[in-house]
Amino acid sequence: QVQLVESGGGLVQTGGSLRLSCALSGRSFSTYTEGWFRQAPGKEREFVAAITQWGDGTIAYGDSVKGRFTISTDNAKNTVYLQMSGLKPEDTATYYCAAKVTPYLSRNPRSYDYWGQGTQVTVSS
């Protein structure tokens, strides 16, 4: 079975940076779309970023994180990264790595087939 394991969450001050990692196994990484989502208390799951590994790949970001977050992959390591900069208290959430079989970008969490356990990011004011 496909497994995704996030790491790198923690506590950071406003304006700080953090890099999340997602290690994938049990799949062919290059044929999947990878995404990051987040969910804060009392809020619905929110799209953060996604990347495809088809040709040169394409990338999309949620409006709330555009310009501050960067998604990338290391195919040799089967790892997806989310580099977060300029963090704000409103970025506080549980962050989830996700993957789907179809190599098309999607902002809909329901279109993703596999999910990690989540990693907590807390930004203090």
Side-chain angles (χ1 to χ4, degrees), residues 55-122:
D56 293 334
T58 55
I59 296 173
Y61 294 99
D63 290 341
S64 63
V65 306
K66 192 174 298 181
R68 299 187 298 121
F69 291 10
T70 302
I71 187 171
S72 63
T73 64
D74 186 334
N75 290 343
K77 297 179 179 178
N78 277 4
T79 301
V80 184
Y81 302 98
L82 184 69
Q83 178 67 48
M84 306 183 294
S85 300
L87 285 164
K88 308 171 182 179
E90 49 263 48
D91 295 318
T92 295
T94 301
Y95 284 72
Y96 298 91
C97 180
K100 65 185 184 73
V101 174
T102 305
Y104 301 109
L105 290 176
S106 175
R107 300 170 183 264
N108 182 2
R110 295 181 178 179
S111 70
Y112 287 78
D113 303 303
Y114 307 103
W115 292 85
Q117 82 287 349
T119 186
Q120 178 66 36
V121 173
T122 302

Side-chain angles (χ1 to χ4, degrees), residues 6 18-19 22 24 29 35 38 55-56 66 83 99 114:
E6 300 100 331
L18 207 60
R19 188 179 75 163
C22 176
L24 300 98
F29 183 81
R38 66 187 185 185
D56 293 334
K66 192 174 298 181
Q83 178 67 48
Y114 307 103

